[in-house]
Amino acid sequence: MPLVDIQLIEGVFSPIQKQRMIKDVTEAIVAIEGETMRGVTWVRINEFASGEWAIGGKPLTTADVKAVQSEPA
């Protein structure tokens, strides 16, 4: 059974966005492995409080991630 963990910082994504992540990841597994995998594909979202995640020793906050999201591509 596939088990996919998605790790996020709390407050960055809406409940609708998280549900879309779950759906789209499930669909990706099914597209690769076949429809029989749908019922046994687990997707979990784990959220961490703002500042409890760090990159290069620098804590990352919800505001930091939202600033990256708003940058032009």
Side-chain angles (χ1 to χ4, degrees):
M1 307 183 263
L3 169 60
V4 179
D5 282 326
I6 300 172
Q7 308 213 7
L8 306 171
I9 295 176
E10 231 171 30
V12 174
F13 296 96
S14 71
I16 290 170
Q17 290 172 313
K18 291 185 280 187
Q19 287 299 313
R20 183 171 173 201
M21 287 178 204
I22 292 167
K23 179 182 177 290
D24 289 354
V25 168
T26 300
E27 292 302 326
I29 297 293
V30 169
I32 294 165
E33 293 294 328
E35 188 61 39
T36 57
M37 296 305 286
R38 184 178 303 280
V40 295
T41 298
W42 298 24
V43 180
R44 302 186 299 190
I45 293 182
N46 302 299
E47 291 187 290
F48 294 86
S50 181
E52 290 186 358
W53 185 316
I55 296 174
K58 180 185 181 280
L60 193 62
T61 66
T62 302
D64 295 330
V65 177
K66 287 192 175 273
V68 171
Q69 287 176 325
S70 65
E71 290 177 3

